[in-house]
Amino acid sequence: GDYDIQVEVRSHDEIGKLAIAFNDMANSIHLEEERKKEFLENVAHELRTPLSYVKGYTQAILDGVVKNDEEQRKYLHLISREALRLQRLVGDLMDLSKMESAPFLLNKTPIAYAQFIEDVLVKYEPIIKEKQLDLKLDLDPDPIIFGDEGRMEQILHNIFDNAIQYTDSGGAIHITLIQHKDDCELLVTDTGNGIPEADLPYIMNRFYRVNKARSRFDGGSGLGLSIVKKLVELQNGKIEIESKEKRGTTVRVILPNIKEEWNS
């Protein structure tokens, strides 16, 4: 279990190559063990906070600290919020576990991409109206992708959720779909808070948060973008994020057109 110990390489023959391979294997195992340890620590940390809230609020009700119905409703609302956060975290963890196990099967069908995007956006009409956001659509009707409808909806929901949530009232969101020769490009641009340059390389890492306090309050698990990245890659696509702090963010999702997908 001590991965710092390295086999001394004294030659360049078969024995030397074996020693090098052994050291490489030990380093790989060490790295994987560290990743697992970090992941488990993060999971424990994420579970600890909502559990402590649920326990504390429940105990307050049982101990009679709550004096009236109004306070009791307040505490029950807080318990419900934290229980929902636990539910989301467990769901996200199960999704990640499934996606990283082999094989992870997708139920792919032809999707008229522009219409699919519009159908998903219908669910956001009330909050867009409430926040008085200027939503602009520029969708090429031609792209047809070969994807899993349920997983594609999950991808779009996560991207749209972030754009709406982190754009202040009166801001703007521009959704563009562009057809290229072999693929199509979806761009979701907002005028929101933006992401600091130092955080951008890590934004799709598990449990990574730019604004920890705000993410905890709104119930995010810190796993959303890592799941989106994995889902996009499973459908032979890629995702990129560009952002300027206090100026906004652009999320770019590139997926192969249906002809390119079938040919591959």
Side-chain angles (χ1 to χ4, degrees):
D2 186 352
Y3 300 107
D4 291 329
I5 297 175
Q6 298 283 290
V7 176
E8 186 177 353
V9 180
R10 296 182 177 179
S11 65
H12 298 286
D13 56 9
E14 287 82 355
I15 299 299
K17 291 178 180 178
L18 177 62
I20 293 172
F22 191 89
N23 288 336
D24 289 342
M25 180 182 67
N27 292 333
S28 298
I29 294 173
H30 187 201
L31 180 60
E32 187 62 26
E33 289 290 331
E34 289 297 316
R35 286 177 176 171
K36 286 181 180 179
K37 180 182 177 182
E38 181 183 7
F39 181 71
L40 290 173
E41 288 175 350
N42 284 330
V43 170
H45 179 72
E46 294 298 324
L47 291 172
R48 187 181 299 117
T49 303
L51 283 173
S52 64
Y53 280 135
V54 169
K55 180 181 178 181
Y57 296 141
T58 304
Q59 196 64 48
I61 295 174
L62 293 174
D63 291 345
V65 174
V66 180
K67 301 300 183 183
N68 54 55
D69 290 343
E70 184 179 349
E71 282 192 7
Q72 183 170 335
R73 282 196 299 272
K74 176 184 175 183
Y75 275 54
L76 289 173
H77 175 73
L78 293 171
I79 291 171
S80 176
R81 186 192 73 188
E82 296 305 315
L84 180 60
R85 183 142 68 95
L86 283 169
Q87 184 180 34
R88 288 173 177 168
L89 176 59
V90 171
D92 286 346
L93 287 169
M94 290 180 67
D95 274 344
L96 271 179
S97 177
K98 289 176 184 177
M99 282 183 277
E100 292 182 350
S101 63
F104 180 75
L105 300 178
L106 294 173
N107 183 24
K108 290 187 176 183
T109 58
I111 298 174
Y113 205 0
Q115 184 61 55
F116 188 80
I117 292 168
E118 290 180 348
D119 291 343
V120 171
L121 283 171
V122 168
K123 303 173 185 178
Y124 291 94
E125 286 179 355
I127 189 170
I128 289 173
K129 184 177 181 180
E130 179 185 341
K131 293 189 72 172
Q132 298 180 321
L133 299 175
D134 178 19
L135 177 63
K136 185 182 296 184
L137 299 181
D138 187 9
L139 306 178
D140 188 325
D142 291 336
I144 298 177
I145 60 173
F146 195 56
D148 185 307
E149 285 195 3
R151 296 303 182 178
M152 281 303 304
E153 188 170 353
Q154 188 175 355
I155 290 168
L156 295 181
H157 272 308
N158 189 282
I159 295 171
F160 295 162
D161 281 345
N162 286 339
I164 293 170
Q165 178 181 344
Y166 295 110
T167 300
D168 293 333
S169 296
I173 296 174
H174 189 186
I175 300 175
T176 308
L177 180 61
I178 304 170
Q179 171 87 303
H180 298 299
K181 181 182 177 182
D182 297 324
D183 56 40
C184 54
E185 184 178 5
L186 172 67
L187 298 100
V188 180
T189 301
D190 63 61
T191 58
N193 304 327
I195 302 167
E197 186 176 353
D199 291 306
L200 270 177
Y202 313 104
I203 195 66
M204 286 185 279
N205 290 0
R206 296 172 179 175
F207 296 109
Y208 192 85
R209 290 191 178 101
V210 175
N211 187 333
K212 296 179 174 60
R214 184 168 182 176
S215 296
R216 289 188 182 283
F217 178 79
D218 61 38
S221 67
L223 294 170
L225 283 176
S226 61
I227 291 174
V228 166
K229 182 175 183 289
K230 190 72 176 178
L231 286 174
V232 169
E233 290 173 349
L234 284 169
Q235 296 179 101
N236 300 322
K238 61 181 179 179
I239 180 171
E240 301 169 351
I241 298 178
E242 300 173 0
S243 188
K244 294 289 185 181
E245 195 170 7
K246 299 181 180 179
R247 292 180 60 182
T249 300
T250 295
V251 178
R252 178 181 286 102
V253 177
I254 300 171
L255 291 169
N257 295 326
I258 193 166
K259 290 182 180 178
E260 179 70 16
E261 177 76 11
W262 279 351
N263 290 336
S264 63

